[in-house]
Amino acid sequence: MTTETVSAASPEVPDLVERQSVTLFDESQPLTLASGRTIGPITVAYQTYGELSPRRDNAIFICHALTGDAHVAGRHREDDRKSGWWDGFVGPGKALDTDRYFVICANVLGGCQGTTGPTSINPATGEQWGPDFPFITVSDIVTVHKALVDHLGIERLLAVIGGSLGGMQVLEWAAQYPDGLASAIVLAAGAKLNAQGIAFNAVGRRAIYADPAFKSGRYYGEEHLPRFGLALARMIAHITYLSEQSIELKFGRKLQHSEELTYDLLKETEFQIESYLHHQGKQFVERFDANSYLFVTRAMDYFDLVESHGPMTTALGKTDARFLVVAYTTDWLFPTPQSREIVRSLLESGQHASFAELDSPYGHDAFLIDSQLPMLARLVTPFLETTYQTIAQRQGTRDKS
């Protein structure tokens, strides 16, 4: 097992954060995946915020969404233009208060931001894995992250929190490691992806497959990468993250560079919404890998809590963790009935469950949008405080006895 710091934080600039990595599951003890294949060693890239308490009871693990990474808050360098993807939610005095909690976020297995994935070197060949990387599931992702938490010396997490694919991981944490968490916060997620979601993922993957530069996934080292296909996949997916209301509010039928229609079939960005989606695609290809996109979307498709762990009352009834489940009114990727199904199963199994449907025009991505974070914080902050106080009270009772 080896640990490496990729970039160092500066005490003079408080929001600078370091990315760290640890190598787990070496060749002598590889990870056995849900598919039956084995893989090792596995490098896990992660970032931490705040300080772990002496009792190691204040740790919160963040499960990132489909194309996220460990860089959840702060900046790596002083000249970084953007902070982490949840910077408005994680930090001193924020919902995940790093003055009080020790916050961890790690890149998923199969990713392309430091954790072992298709872009990593296959030790058996000395070349990048590419399409030969083994098939992964949400269960495999959580198993790796649990090994990271163990490596950090944490027996039980105060909370596991995540949205979308991250929310699926939270449910898997509760089912697979019921004693490993005191609370679970599930945002804009479900116990499985519905047929419509699988369909959009399938179209996105087809866009990548159809790119001539894809070359069956063996494009590393080539002059041309499958940027067009990956950008198109992102454009398709991004539509599912929005809502009709948010698109209309922001773009409507506004034109991009003129006040009149051009009647030019070859003009791709005549409307502002077209320009916006092209921009999203172009940005995405600068930070993501096409093979990783294929593997991680398939992991999302395959996730089915009931199929893996039995009826939801059984799957989630094994833990004594407190649950907070949050849905959004305009989320059509994971509509509110899916969240209600989770809550209903929790209540039937005698679990402590809180539920809220937040009214937002921003669709599935609402849990990531800065303007929507205050209303989410009003739920998460007291939920975590109550959970932490409960743990402290129980510990105090045990200490007296």
Side-chain angles (χ1 to χ4, degrees):
M1 180 185 298
T2 59
T3 304
E4 175 189 3
T5 298
V6 179
S7 59
S10 168
E12 290 80 22
V13 186
D15 70 340
L16 287 192
V17 62
E18 61 185 20
R19 193 183 82 179
Q20 303 173 70
S21 65
V22 60
T23 301
L24 307 169
F25 301 102
D26 60 25
E27 294 179 356
S28 65
Q29 292 182 312
L31 171 65
T32 299
L33 302 167
S35 66
R37 290 186 61 182
T38 59
I39 181 173
I42 296 173
T43 297
V44 185
Y46 67 99
Q47 292 182 188
T48 64
Y49 306 80
E51 298 292 334
L52 189 60
S53 66
R55 288 182 172 173
R56 299 176 179 268
D57 61 356
N58 68 332
I60 298 172
F61 193 93
I62 298 175
C63 304
H64 69 70
L66 183 69
T67 60
D69 54 37
H71 187 40
V72 69
R75 297 172 294 158
H76 287 144
R77 297 176 299 274
E78 290 185 54
D79 58 351
D80 280 352
R81 295 180 61 186
K82 292 183 66 177
S83 298
W85 56 267
W86 226 6
D87 194 69
F89 206 67
V90 178
K94 299 177 184 178
L96 302 189
D97 187 353
T98 52
D99 285 337
R100 186 173 191 184
Y101 305 121
F102 179 64
V103 178
I104 312 158
C105 188
N107 191 212
V108 298
L109 179 67
C112 53
Q113 298 295 331
T115 295
T116 297
T119 61
S120 304
I121 299 299
N122 178 352
T125 65
E127 298 179 351
Q128 288 170 291
W129 279 98
D132 297 326
F133 193 74
F135 197 101
I136 59 167
T137 66
V138 170
S139 174
D140 299 324
I141 290 170
V142 170
T143 298
V144 171
H145 286 168
K146 176 61 166 64
L148 169 64
V149 171
D150 291 343
H151 165 73
L152 295 174
I154 300 165
E155 293 184 5
R156 194 179 197 215
L157 292 160
L158 172 65
V160 182
I161 180 173
S164 192
L165 175 61
M168 289 177 163
Q169 293 172 58
V170 175
L171 293 172
E172 181 65 27
W173 265 95
Q176 191 173 343
Y177 302 106
D179 298 326
L181 67 168
S183 65
I185 304 174
V186 183
L187 312 174
K192 63 182 176 182
L193 187 63
N194 60 26
Q196 182 173 249
I198 294 173
F200 275 102
N201 280 346
V203 175
R205 287 192 295 269
R206 179 55 55 186
I208 293 172
Y209 295 144
D211 190 323
F214 181 61
K215 297 183 178 180
S216 299
R218 304 186 186 282
Y219 50 81
Y220 301 123
E222 298 289 334
E223 181 180 356
H224 299 290
L225 302 177
R227 293 175 176 270
F228 178 82
L230 182 58
L232 182 55
R234 177 62 171 183
M235 291 167 67
I236 294 166
H238 200 74
I239 295 171
T240 72
Y241 306 151
L242 306 174
S243 70
E244 180 182 7
Q245 184 179 356
S246 66
I247 293 174
E248 285 297 323
L249 284 172
K250 188 170 184 177
F251 303 107
R253 291 180 54 83
K254 298 174 187 174
L255 299 177
Q256 178 67 9
H257 295 299
S258 65
E259 296 181 358
E260 297 180 354
L261 296 171
T262 63
Y263 298 93
D264 181 357
L265 191 61
L266 298 180
K267 188 174 179 61
E268 287 190 274
T269 57
E270 193 159 8
F271 292 92
Q272 286 186 9
I273 182 60
E274 294 174 315
S275 176
Y276 172 76
L277 290 175
H278 280 291
H279 174 70
Q280 291 295 323
K282 289 176 181 177
Q283 278 196 321
F284 187 61
V285 299
E286 297 301 322
R287 67 176 181 86
F288 218 80
D289 172 66
N291 278 323
S292 280
Y293 192 85
L294 300 178
F295 279 97
V296 180
T297 56
R298 261 309 189 196
M300 192 174 192
D301 291 350
Y302 268 50
F303 181 73
D304 187 330
L305 189 71
V306 172
E307 184 175 302
S308 299
H309 298 282
M312 214 180 308
T313 52
T314 302
L316 300 179
K318 296 178 292 185
T319 180
D320 64 357
R322 305 170 74 249
F323 280 78
L324 171 62
V325 181
V326 179
Y328 290 89
T329 53
T330 53
D331 183 355
W332 56 279
L333 186 60
F334 287 102
T336 299
Q338 291 198 33
S339 295
R340 291 189 184 277
E341 182 184 10
I342 295 169
V343 175
R344 188 161 48 248
S345 297
L346 287 166
L347 295 177
E348 288 176 4
S349 62
Q351 303 295 90
H352 181 287
S354 301
F355 170 72
E357 182 186 43
L358 299 181
D359 187 9
S360 171
Y362 293 101
H364 180 64
D365 258 1
F367 72 95
L368 296 172
I369 295 175
D370 283 346
S371 65
Q372 305 300 292
L373 294 181
M375 62 179 177
L376 180 60
R378 285 194 288 272
L379 298 173
V380 171
T381 299
F383 178 82
L384 288 174
E385 288 177 352
T386 301
T387 303
Y388 199 24
Q389 288 171 5
T390 301
I391 292 173
Q393 289 169 359
R394 289 176 181 172
Q395 184 63 47
T397 302
R398 282 195 290 267
D399 290 345
K400 289 179 181 178
S401 62

